[in-house]
Amino acid sequence: MASIAASSSETCSLEKHLTCSICMDTFDNPVTTSCGHSFCEKCLNSNFQYNDKVCPLCKTPQVRILNVNIVLRDIVQQQKEKKTQEENNDVYTGKDGEVACDVCIEQKLKAKKSCLVCLASFCSTHLKNHSSTERLKGHKLVAPVKNLDDRACLKHGRPLELYSRKQQTCICVRCLEEGPEEVVSTEDEWEKKKVKLENTKRELEAKIKRRETQLEEINTSLKSCKDQMENEWWDIEAVFTAVLAVVEEAQARALQPLKDRRQVVEKEAEDLKKDLEAEISRFKTTISELDDISALEDHIHFLQSYPSLQDLDDIKNWAEVEFDTSVSFGTMRKTSAIMMEQIQRHLEKLTPIELKRVPKFTVDVKLNPATAHQRLVLSEDGKEVRDGGEDQEADDAPERFDIYGSVLGLNSLTSGKSYWEVEVSNKTGWDLGVASGDANRKGKLSLNPDNGYWVTVHYEDEEYAALTAPPVRLSLKEKPETVGVFVDYEEGLVSFYNVTAQSHIYSFTECSFTDELFPYFSPHVKKGDKNSDPLIISAVKQCEQDMDMF
């Protein structure tokens, strides 16, 4: 409003200086008297006919011929063009965003403001009239509104000046007559709602900030994960590159005797061929000489030329010469054994990578006292088991082990991947693994996959074995202090790791799991003070770079 008023004031001031004081209209070919006053050329000449060439305003005599004031004329022309342009710009065209003045009759101009009390829109000209009336100065003017009917009560035709909090809608004064309601002015409700909107806006901005923070965390986590996968990629590629190099070296070593023997055989064959070809050539020459002698008719010459046949008795007997084509050299067993040992050593480098991944699948394993053999003593938290030395008081439950000193975990494994760790540091014997839910627990039986047990065993202080059918003896470089057990139900895999040494112990592969699995433990019977320490299900240390999000 202030800018519009200022612009209007400037326009009026300029129009005042460009108005002829005789015809009270804008200058037409303005001329300026010697006293400095300006008039239309036509108006001043008409005035001079009656006033003896004196200035109509100050009565100063004019003695010279007055010419058109070119500068003033150009200013007047520019002002006219500007006014015409403004009038053209203010013409209502019906474009989106334009609102027509409700007062204009012939040519509609664009509305500059809408009055929420009068429920009408006004162009700049009619807005002056609206603003100059004292009783209308308090009306609420807003930016042009297209559908002012939405600001009026359709029932009573009155402006919507009030707000019903009960109906959650705007009402007019006449609507109050229809019943008592909690009513406030639209301005009060506007202020209240505006505050609420601001609060909502701040809440949304806070949510945006939290989500932007989450995006940054995701990007950081993604980068960390990609870096970890990149490192693992190169580690795995390095291992298999080394394995390929070992295989290629073993291949070269296995093929080398063949290459060497082939070279020897080829040389021997070449030498024999040269000797044979030389003798063939010599025999052909001799035959040619004999033909020449045989053709002689001179008896004396013939007898003198007759060769000594003793040279033919010295010819080598090739029937006794044998070409050695045998390939009798050592087996490839040593080469393949060395190769497999080197490959296994390189593949062991993959174990630390596996042990970085499996903690993600950690399950909170607890022991099931209902399955424990009577000799076993379990801790209250279900995390430790040891041999008590003698049978404890316990009911003879059908699920309890009665021969083997074993116990199962409470955790039922029926899908996915699972991992847990067990401390075995000071023990001279133990069993660890998983057992099928329907596996027999009564009587003496072989703990192998055929009977629903996938178990590794430590016995006689230094011996280790995988209880397959038959058992496989294991050779461990270091005695485990903590053993990790990993199960992939869908893949049919049970793996054991020496967590302390970051090495692989054994894996049951291509297992056929048809029932639920349970963690299996046996602390072994103690002998004197030996093996009295418990098996302890320990907390798994998570890797610093976790990939839970991926």
Side-chain angles (χ1 to χ4, degrees):
M1 288 293 292
S3 62
I4 293 174
S7 177
S8 177
S9 175
E10 292 173 359
T11 302
C12 291
S13 176
L14 185 58
E15 288 180 353
K16 179 180 178 181
H17 292 292
L18 298 179
T19 300
C20 175
S21 56
I22 298 176
C23 65
M24 301 304 293
D25 201 353
T26 305
F27 288 134
D28 181 18
N29 287 331
V31 293
T32 302
T33 62
S34 58
C35 57
H37 296 113
S38 298
F39 307 91
C40 296
E41 182 181 27
K42 185 177 180 180
C43 293
L44 185 60
N45 290 334
S46 298
N47 187 270
F48 280 170
Q49 294 178 4
Y50 304 103
N51 295 319
D52 297 329
K53 292 188 178 182
V54 296
C55 175
L57 293 179
C58 64
K59 307 304 180 180
T60 300
Q62 305 298 314
V63 295
R64 63 181 177 84
I65 298 174
L66 300 178
N67 297 319
V68 175
N69 188 330
I70 298 174
V71 175
L72 189 57
R73 183 189 64 186
D74 291 344
I75 293 174
V76 171
Q77 185 62 30
Q78 289 177 5
Q79 188 65 16
K80 286 182 178 180
E81 291 176 356
K82 181 179 179 182
K83 187 174 182 181
T84 302
Q85 185 177 2
E86 288 179 353
E87 288 177 352
N88 291 335
N89 289 339
D90 285 341
V91 174
Y92 174 71
T93 62
K95 293 181 180 179
D96 290 342
E98 292 184 0
V99 177
C101 175
D102 291 324
V103 182
C104 292
I105 298 174
E106 295 180 358
Q107 188 178 38
K108 291 283 186 178
L109 300 181
K110 297 178 186 176
K112 299 297 182 182
K113 291 289 180 179
S114 294
C115 178
L116 298 183
V117 179
C118 300
L119 297 179
S121 299
F122 305 99
C123 64
S124 55
T125 302
H126 294 112
L127 185 61
K128 295 178 186 177
N129 299 331
H130 185 276
S131 302
S132 62
T133 305
E134 193 67 27
R135 64 182 179 82
L136 302 179
K137 287 184 178 180
H139 287 194
K140 181 68 173 179
L141 295 175
V142 296
V145 179
K146 199 169 187 82
N147 299 317
L148 280 171
D149 286 345
D150 295 340
R151 271 70 177 173
C153 177
L154 299 179
K155 184 176 181 181
H156 302 109
R158 301 289 297 273
L160 298 174
E161 301 173 326
L162 304 174
Y163 184 82
S164 171
R165 288 179 174 169
K166 179 180 179 181
Q167 300 179 26
Q168 292 290 300
T169 186
C170 296
I171 62 175
C172 70
V173 177
R174 292 285 301 277
C175 292
L176 289 175
E177 300 175 0
E178 299 180 359
E181 295 186 28
E182 184 183 359
V183 175
V184 295
S185 68
T186 53
E187 291 186 1
D188 290 342
E189 190 64 21
W190 171 79
E191 291 179 354
K192 180 181 178 181
K193 289 282 195 296
K194 190 173 182 181
V195 171
K196 188 175 181 180
L197 285 178
E198 289 297 325
N199 293 336
T200 302
K201 179 183 174 183
R202 281 193 292 270
E203 290 177 2
L204 291 175
E205 289 174 345
K207 289 180 179 179
I208 290 173
K209 190 172 183 180
R210 285 196 297 271
R211 280 153 180 77
E212 288 176 344
T213 302
Q214 288 176 329
L215 282 174
E216 292 178 1
E217 291 174 353
I218 290 173
N219 290 332
T220 302
S221 180
L222 175 62
K223 183 180 182 303
S224 175
C225 178
K226 289 173 70 175
D227 290 343
Q228 182 182 357
M229 289 191 291
E230 185 79 9
N231 293 334
E232 287 192 9
W233 180 289
W234 291 116
D235 290 343
I236 294 171
E237 186 168 288
V239 168
F240 283 98
T241 299
V243 168
L244 290 175
V246 169
V247 174
E248 290 173 357
E249 182 182 351
Q251 180 188 29
R253 193 181 298 118
L255 293 175
Q256 190 60 45
L258 291 173
K259 292 181 179 179
D260 295 342
R261 181 59 182 157
R262 183 172 61 186
Q263 291 177 356
V264 171
V265 169
E266 287 176 348
K267 187 176 185 306
E268 290 178 353
E270 191 65 29
D271 291 341
L272 289 173
K273 285 164 62 178
K274 286 181 179 179
D275 291 343
L276 287 169
E277 288 171 354
E279 286 202 351
I280 291 171
S281 178
R282 183 162 59 89
F283 290 161
K284 288 181 177 180
T285 301
T286 301
I287 291 172
S288 178
E289 292 175 352
L290 293 176
D291 287 340
D292 292 340
I293 294 172
S294 179
L296 293 175
E297 295 181 356
D298 186 342
H299 299 162
I300 301 301
H301 190 196
F302 174 85
L303 293 174
Q304 289 176 344
S305 301
Y306 191 82
S308 176
L309 297 178
Q310 293 180 352
D311 294 340
L312 298 177
D313 295 336
D314 296 333
I315 296 175
K316 185 177 181 179
N317 184 9
W318 285 95
E320 297 177 358
V321 178
E322 185 176 349
F323 180 47
D324 186 5
T325 58
S326 65
V327 288
S328 56
F329 43 81
T331 68
M332 295 176 287
R333 184 57 50 196
K334 181 179 178 180
T335 299
S336 60
I338 294 173
M339 178 188 71
M340 294 306 297
E341 182 181 346
Q342 290 177 337
I343 289 175
Q344 188 61 35
R345 187 164 60 250
H346 284 297
L347 291 178
E348 277 296 325
K349 295 178 182 178
L350 297 176
T351 302
I353 298 177
E354 292 180 355
L355 287 174
K356 286 180 181 178
R357 296 176 177 177
V358 293
K360 173 185 175 181
F361 307 106
T362 298
V363 292
D364 184 17
V365 173
K366 290 187 178 181
L367 302 172
N368 184 357
T371 64
H373 187 277
Q374 291 181 340
R375 284 177 61 99
L376 300 183
V377 177
L378 277 59
S379 62
E380 292 184 1
D381 61 359
K383 292 290 186 178
E384 300 181 17
V385 57
R386 61 180 176 84
D387 176 28
E390 58 184 13
D391 289 350
Q392 314 294 314
E393 292 185 4
D395 59 326
D396 188 16
E399 64 268 26
R400 191 182 302 279
F401 287 94
D402 63 350
I403 298 296
Y404 294 111
S406 307
V407 61
L408 297 182
L410 284 167
N411 307 69
S412 173
L413 312 178
T414 57
S415 64
K417 303 174 179 63
S418 305
Y419 178 74
W420 62 93
E421 294 179 355
V422 184
E423 294 181 15
V424 298
S425 53
N426 295 321
K427 296 190 66 60
T428 59
W430 44 259
D431 289 1
L432 292 174
V434 293
S436 177
D438 59 358
N440 184 20
R441 302 172 200 172
K442 302 295 184 181
K444 194 170 184 178
L445 68 157
S446 297
L447 301 180
N448 57 44
D450 293 339
N451 294 323
Y453 290 89
W454 294 266
V455 177
T456 56
V457 58
H458 172 41
Y459 60 101
E460 296 181 1
D461 197 19
E462 295 182 354
E463 301 296 327
Y464 298 88
L467 298 184
T468 57
V472 176
R473 188 172 179 178
L474 304 177
S475 178
L476 274 62
K477 294 182 180 180
E478 297 182 33
K479 182 178 181 179
E481 295 182 2
T482 302
V483 175
V485 184
F486 175 72
V487 179
D488 190 328
Y489 195 95
E490 282 76 14
E491 290 293 331
L493 174 69
V494 182
S495 295
F496 300 86
Y497 299 93
N498 182 343
V499 177
T500 308
Q502 294 283 288
S503 61
H504 175 248
I505 297 175
Y506 186 79
S507 287
F508 292 90
T509 58
E510 297 182 358
C511 307
S512 297
F513 301 137
T514 57
D515 193 16
E516 57 185 344
L517 301 177
F518 294 92
Y520 172 85
F521 306 85
S522 175
H524 284 198
V525 176
K526 66 180 181 179
K527 300 177 181 179
D529 291 336
K530 288 187 175 182
N531 209 36
S532 60
D533 289 345
L535 290 175
I536 304 173
I537 303 170
S538 58
V540 178
K541 295 180 180 178
Q542 294 287 338
C543 177
E544 292 181 0
Q545 292 180 327
D546 200 350
M547 296 194 296
D548 283 347
M549 295 182 66
F550 305 95

